[in-house]
Amino acid sequence: MTTTADRPPVKPAARRTPTGAAQRLEPLAERLLGGQLPVRVRMWDGSEAGPEDAPTVHVRSRRALRRLLWEPGELGLAEAYITGDIDLAEDLGDGLRAMRRAVSERGLTPPAPSLADRLRAAGTALRLGAVGPRPPVPAARAGLRGALHSKARDRAAISHHYDLSNAFYALLLDETMAYSCGYWTSDAPGYGPADAQRDKLELICRKLGLRPGARLLDIGCGWGSLTLHAAQHHSVRVTAVTLAAEQAAYVRGQVATRGLEELVEVLNIDYRDIAGRPETRGAYDAVSTIEMGEHVGDAEYPAFTRILHDSLRPQGRVLVQQMSRGANAPGGGAFIESYIAPDMHMRPVGETVGLLEGSGLEVRDVEALREHYVLTVDAWRRTLEERWAEFVALVGEETARVWRLYLVGGALAFEERRMGVDQILCVRPDRAGKAAMPATRREWNGADR
């Protein structure tokens, strides 16, 4: 008789590794990425794959994979996030920063997908039930038509971004309504975005040497922050130009409210129409264009700089504040082009300096403000998060998510030096070569630097 003690020990049943959507996708994703997953992925069925200490990307539905099949790359991922098909468990900024760091540290260089890769991806998607018709494009995506940088297309591009609604921008921005990089001169408690914007506006006025009675042409005036500041605080006569109807209406309202009708003229026109107004030729003591040149287009930029030059009197000054891209970094990208600033073009700052000089202007000063933009965009992002419910009620969940992705991505681009922003001060010398510029920066900085 065999006793229990004589029986061989029973081996525990081998644990089966769970096979879910994450495990099916992991080999394919690593093949397409050129290495191990840099993030933790949690799929709609609860399965997970990837490093446990990495940011977690939650793929909420099969539709996310379908979006990537129809629109591989940055745009497909962005649209999956916009529609809520993909989300991050962490703060979006922290998550994207950690993901980029992981990709960089691992040296991931995705190979160009082969036909076999594409067939394998389609087969995996089919087994997961993710194959189907193209998902609807989010309503916030721009749909421009016509020739690139024609007046009609440019008007549509500007309207897409800036005519979202004055109420939206009033909620996002501070009371100056300045939608451009601030100038952060203090880290004292209580110093905030509005202070940084006022310091920026005052810096521009000093760089341009504005005096009472001077004439300023403000091209791409936005919601009039510089126009109103120059008129109200420096008694300058300003011609403000914007292509956005909502902006023009807002600035006209502010001009009336502040009693500046005798000092400010607001034109809702294309910047190219300035050249057709004989009264503007050589009429201005100063010209400003604050983060408008990015919308001009590469081929059109030389003509734009000629307008800047020709609008100035001899010895007049022009200040261009403009975003740039790194020498080896792309400008814009598929998401920005499709949802934020269609047809935008950025170049390294040195190329812009060359184009300005090519028009006959003399570049006298270039000040980089890249770190200032990180602070500025972070302030806008904090407002968006703190008042999220109000933004969603105003423009809808998808548009609010577009702006969250835009602001988070923009701050990272400036932080990582993929993008920059610069103030470029130029002068139009007279025929004798005289520029009448101050010998030092003391005029606008208050001290030699």
Side-chain angles (χ1 to χ4, degrees):
M1 179 177 177
T2 304
T3 66
T4 303
D6 296 327
R7 293 174 185 162
V10 177
K11 294 181 180 179
R15 294 182 62 187
R16 296 181 63 187
T17 302
T19 302
Q23 286 70 40
R24 291 178 180 273
L25 279 172
E26 186 175 17
L28 176 62
E30 292 183 343
R31 163 66 185 166
L32 295 175
L33 286 170
Q36 292 183 337
L37 283 172
V39 296
R40 184 81 174 165
V41 179
R42 181 185 303 140
M43 305 301 286
W44 60 84
D45 62 356
S47 61
E48 297 187 15
E52 293 187 2
D53 60 346
T56 299
V57 177
H58 191 176
V59 182
R60 297 187 180 277
S61 72
R62 293 174 174 83
R63 188 172 53 190
L65 300 185
R66 191 146 45 98
R67 287 191 180 281
L68 289 171
L69 284 174
W70 282 96
E71 194 76 71
E74 175 190 327
L75 189 56
L77 283 169
E79 292 187 341
Y81 176 78
I82 291 165
T83 55
D85 294 325
I86 286 179
D87 224 329
L88 262 75
E90 293 80 3
D91 171 85
L92 182 61
D94 293 341
L96 290 181
R97 187 178 290 105
M99 288 164 60
R100 288 186 60 82
R101 185 168 58 247
V103 169
S104 175
E105 289 173 353
R106 298 181 189 193
L108 297 182
T109 52
S114 64
L115 177 60
D117 292 330
R118 296 177 188 276
L119 291 173
R120 193 177 295 114
T124 301
L126 183 63
R127 287 190 293 276
L128 291 172
V131 173
R134 187 176 195 134
V137 171
R141 185 169 175 177
L144 303 187
R145 294 179 175 83
L148 183 65
H149 291 298
S150 64
K151 287 185 178 182
R153 182 178 172 116
D154 275 359
R155 185 175 292 276
I158 293 299
S159 179
H160 171 80
H161 188 62
Y162 296 99
D163 287 341
L164 184 57
S165 83
N166 288 340
F168 173 87
Y169 286 99
L171 191 59
L172 181 71
L173 307 176
D174 58 78
E175 61 262 33
T176 68
M177 288 292 283
Y179 182 41
S180 55
C181 181
Y183 192 62
W184 297 75
T185 64
S186 172
D187 57 4
Y191 184 94
D195 302 297
Q197 292 295 352
R198 292 189 187 99
D199 285 345
K200 184 269 300 293
L201 299 173
E202 188 58 29
L203 177 67
I204 292 172
C205 290
R206 292 198 305 267
K207 285 184 175 182
L208 289 173
L210 297 181
R211 301 289 185 269
R215 293 198 64 191
L216 169 67
L217 175 62
D218 189 13
I219 303 177
C221 69
W223 286 271
S225 57
L226 179 58
T227 288
L228 298 168
H229 184 90
Q232 193 164 355
H233 297 284
H234 295 272
S235 301
V236 173
R237 293 176 293 158
V238 188
T239 301
V241 175
T242 177
L243 191 53
E246 290 269 348
Q247 290 181 339
Y250 179 88
V251 180
R252 288 180 180 130
Q254 287 296 306
V255 167
T257 298
R258 303 185 192 196
L260 299 174
E261 293 92 338
E262 293 185 3
L263 291 175
V264 178
E265 175 189 26
V266 181
L267 303 177
N268 182 202
I269 62 173
D270 190 288
Y271 76 89
R272 285 163 285 204
D273 295 332
I274 296 169
R277 295 168 62 93
E279 68 273 20
T280 65
R281 191 171 183 85
Y284 293 96
D285 302 287
V287 177
S288 57
T289 178
I290 310 303
E291 295 181 29
M292 180 268 182
E294 301 90 336
H295 300 288
V296 168
D298 195 32
E300 291 73 20
Y301 205 84
F304 174 66
T305 62
R306 175 58 61 180
I307 290 172
L308 301 181
H309 173 278
D310 291 351
S311 299
L312 283 173
R313 63 164 176 79
Q315 300 184 357
R317 303 180 196 178
V318 59
L319 188 133
V320 175
Q321 181 169 309
Q322 189 168 305
M323 288 182 281
S324 61
R325 63 172 176 81
N328 299 311
F335 164 66
I336 296 293
E337 284 281 338
S338 298
Y339 283 90
I340 301 298
D343 301 341
M344 182 174 71
H345 180 84
M346 292 185 292
R347 65 182 68 79
V349 63
E351 294 181 17
T352 298
V353 167
L355 289 164
L356 289 165
E357 291 185 328
S359 72
L361 294 167
E362 182 180 15
V363 174
R364 300 301 295 256
D365 189 77
V366 179
E367 184 171 5
L369 305 179
R370 179 172 63 85
E371 292 86 354
H372 294 258
Y373 229 154
V374 177
L375 297 172
T376 302
V377 177
D378 275 344
W380 295 337
R381 183 180 63 85
R382 284 194 302 273
T383 299
L384 181 72
E385 298 298 346
E386 291 167 2
R387 307 183 71 173
W388 181 256
E390 294 175 73
F391 281 102
V392 171
L394 187 62
V395 296
E397 177 95 21
E398 285 192 358
T399 298
R401 288 173 73 91
V402 165
W403 275 79
R404 175 189 278 162
L405 186 58
Y406 166 48
L407 295 177
V408 167
L412 278 175
F414 289 109
E415 181 181 306
E416 297 172 353
R417 210 165 66 86
R418 289 179 282 119
M419 285 174 55
V421 64
D422 309 274
Q423 284 189 354
I424 308 170
L425 179 64
C426 309
V427 65
R428 176 183 177 175
D430 63 20
R431 290 185 178 181
K434 295 180 180 179
M437 290 288 293
T440 72
R441 293 183 174 92
R442 183 183 290 117
E443 181 176 303
W444 58 83
N445 283 336
D448 289 332
R449 272 172 42 173

